[in-house]
Amino acid sequence: MLANRHILLVIAGGIAAFKSLDLIRRLRERGASVTPVLTRAAEEFVTPLSASALAANRVYRDLFDLTDEAEMGHIELSRAADLVVVAPATADLMAKAAQGHADDLASTLLMATDKRVLLAPAMNVRMWEHPATQRNVATLRKDGTLIAGPENGPMACGEFGPGRMAEVPQILEAIEGALGGTGPLTGKHVVVTSGPTHEPIDPVRYIANRSSGAQGAAIGAALAAQGADVTFVTGPAEVAPPHGVKVVPIETAQEMHEAVFDALPADVGVFAAAVADWRVAHGSEQKIKKDHRGNAPTLAFAENPDILAAVSQMTEGRPRLVIGFAAETEDVVTQATAKRVRKGCDWIVANDVSRAGGAMGGADNSVTVIDAEGAEPWPRMPKTEVAAKLVARIAGALA
Ligand code: C5P
């Protein structure tokens, strides 16, 4: 899958840098070529010689090294690659990238590249959770940067929590997803919605639903594995978004609507999110206080935009294939068939979310795929298999 692909691997200064040496080996085993770039701080953790020996390539070390510039300028270096990977990505390098600084070779490459950038963050849990880092992560994601990890677990500094760099197999998976490979969906842009939405009542309360985001995440991963360029618009889901996709995190239905239209044009739209049909009409700026005389508040609702219907009914620039989901608790196929026509989508994936159906939050799903030709019931299977089968059907329809 990575044969003849060229990775520019920026190694920043963190204890996880030792894993990057293994990453170089695994990339080469898969046929990729690697050009390592070491920041000055990285050289405190790994030597240029070991990176160079494993990559069987020269290592670039500093922007102001005249020999480097004479041999290959930073612009060329950043563009000769198919993908730029930063592993480990430190809090400092992420801050620079988010702000657009270019004061050393690593940050200049990130500014100059015209290729996708994948970051594998690694830092102390408090640094990861710091609002500044979270702001930078959100900015980078918005700019289209891919982020793999970090993982939860014990850290070199003795603390526990998110911040450990993703393991090498996960980074490889993200790299394969980002490069898209040569799957049948290479070059196709797919917008996927996933997870629940949160509709605020006041600053501390919201209305949500039981969607875990598992089916949407599995679809996003399966699409990326087949080469698609995926924009993954997700509400606050329990399940982490897949690697190798562009993640756009949102909270409300209105934000999801805006994010989907911002992401268009697309070849395919897959609307797997459980979007709230209504929002609270007059959300309160202040926390609603308990009334000690026992009067419960009354909430008024306003209808949310129907994203699936809006995209399905576009008169210009409509995706070739628009797929909706229908969570039903009774008469699943009849209801979903009517819904397909009402919304105007091409296919609808119907599932039984009654207690007996158990689709919401569970690992398995039993769906019926409905199109203009009729209804095709699929046997009960894991959500990952539903995703793979659906993606194969999508590839077939576009072929
Ligand atoms: O009408 P209902 O919510 O049952 O339709 C489900 C389908 O419509 C799902 O594909 C869901 O993602 C989509 N939907 C949407 N925007 C809404 C409501 C539902 O995209 N506001």
Side-chain angles (χ1 to χ4, degrees), residues 193 271-273 275-277 304-308 324-326 339 343:
T193 70
F271 296 90
V275 186
D277 291 319
N304 270 331
D306 189 317
I307 307 160
L308 172 64
F325 277 66
K339 188 171 288 179
K343 300 225 185 197

Side-chain angles (χ1 to χ4, degrees), residues 96-159:
K96 281 183 177 172
Q99 295 288 320
H101 287 264
D103 62 354
D104 61 5
L105 179 57
S107 54
T108 305
L109 291 173
L110 296 179
M111 282 287 282
T113 190
D114 57 355
K115 298 297 168 8
R116 296 185 100 179
V117 176
L118 170 75
L119 305 180
M123 66 198 71
N124 166 275
V125 53
R126 292 198 197 289
M127 291 175 77
W128 172 254
E129 286 175 347
H130 195 284
T133 304
Q134 289 305 311
R135 262 197 315 274
N136 293 334
V137 169
T139 304
L140 289 163
R141 283 206 158 117
K142 222 164 138 201
D143 293 346
T145 305
L146 303 171
I147 302 198
E151 289 183 353
N152 252 310
M155 320 195 77
C157 55
E159 290 187 74

Side-chain angles (χ1 to χ4, degrees), residues 47-387:
T47 69
L49 188 60
S50 43
S52 167
L54 287 165
N57 204 349
R58 67 155 301 173
V59 170
Y60 288 81
R61 298 172 58 185
D62 194 84
L63 181 59
F64 300 108
D65 181 331
L66 285 179
T67 349
D68 285 356
E69 281 294 294
E71 209 167 299
M72 192 192 259
H74 57 274
I75 305 279
E76 205 183 329
L77 186 59
S78 72
R79 298 193 181 162
D82 295 308
L83 180 72
V84 181
V85 178
V86 186
T90 57
D92 180 57
L93 187 50
M94 286 171 57
K96 281 183 177 172
Q99 295 288 320
H101 287 264
D103 62 354
D104 61 5
L105 179 57
S107 54
T108 305
L109 291 173
L110 296 179
M111 282 287 282
T113 190
D114 57 355
K115 298 297 168 8
R116 296 185 100 179
V117 176
L118 170 75
L119 305 180
M123 66 198 71
N124 166 275
V125 53
R126 292 198 197 289
M127 291 175 77
W128 172 254
E129 286 175 347
H130 195 284
T133 304
Q134 289 305 311
R135 262 197 315 274
N136 293 334
V137 169
T139 304
L140 289 163
R141 283 206 158 117
K142 222 164 138 201
D143 293 346
T145 305
L146 303 171
I147 302 198
E151 289 183 353
N152 252 310
M155 320 195 77
C157 55
E159 290 187 74
F160 189 94
R164 275 164 60 116
M165 186 164 90
E167 294 300 331
V168 170
Q170 273 78 54
I171 300 177
L172 286 169
E173 190 190 312
I175 291 173
E176 286 178 342
L179 284 172
T182 49
L185 294 177
T186 302
K188 302 283 187 248
H189 179 213
V190 185
V191 176
V192 179
T193 70
S194 182
T197 61
H198 283 184
E199 305 297 330
I201 298 171
D202 67 17
V204 296
R205 305 181 180 95
Y206 57 81
I207 295 173
N209 59 64
R210 293 187 197 282
S211 165
S212 65
Q215 187 63 78
I219 292 169
L223 285 163
Q226 295 305 315
D229 171 14
V230 180
T231 304
F232 190 77
V233 183
T234 176
E238 277 168 41
V239 172
H243 296 299
V245 303
K246 181 182 174 194
V247 181
V248 184
I250 54 84
E251 286 206 357
T252 66
Q254 284 178 302
E255 288 165 3
M256 182 173 272
H257 181 261
E258 200 179 316
V260 165
F261 277 86
D262 278 353
L264 295 178
D267 298 282
V268 182
V270 181
F271 296 90
V275 186
D277 291 319
W278 307 282
R279 65 180 175 275
V280 177
H282 309 287
S284 171
E285 296 277 307
Q286 306 299 332
K287 185 182 166 199
I288 300 170
K289 293 266 185 298
K290 184 169 176 175
D291 177 332
H292 292 288
R293 285 183 301 271
N295 296 323
T298 304
L299 295 177
F301 290 95
E303 201 170 344
N304 270 331
D306 189 317
I307 307 160
L308 172 64
V311 173
S312 298
Q313 292 163 26
M314 284 171 80
T315 47
E316 243 173 75
R318 180 192 190 273
R320 250 176 87 189
L321 186 60
V322 181
I323 305 170
F325 277 66
E328 304 288 349
T329 52
E330 55 190 353
D331 291 338
V332 179
V333 173
T334 321
Q335 298 285 351
T337 303
K339 188 171 288 179
R340 191 192 77 79
V341 176
R342 198 165 60 238
K343 300 225 185 197
C345 57
D346 302 297
W347 304 351
I348 209 146
V349 181
N351 52 3
D352 181 357
V353 290
S354 64
R355 215 168 265 274
M360 279 218 170
D364 290 350
N365 208 352
S366 134
V367 305
T368 300
V369 180
I370 297 162
D371 59 17
E373 317 280 289
E376 185 182 302
W378 290 359
R380 188 173 188 79
M381 60 182 102
K383 287 179 177 172
T384 47
E385 281 176 35
V386 171

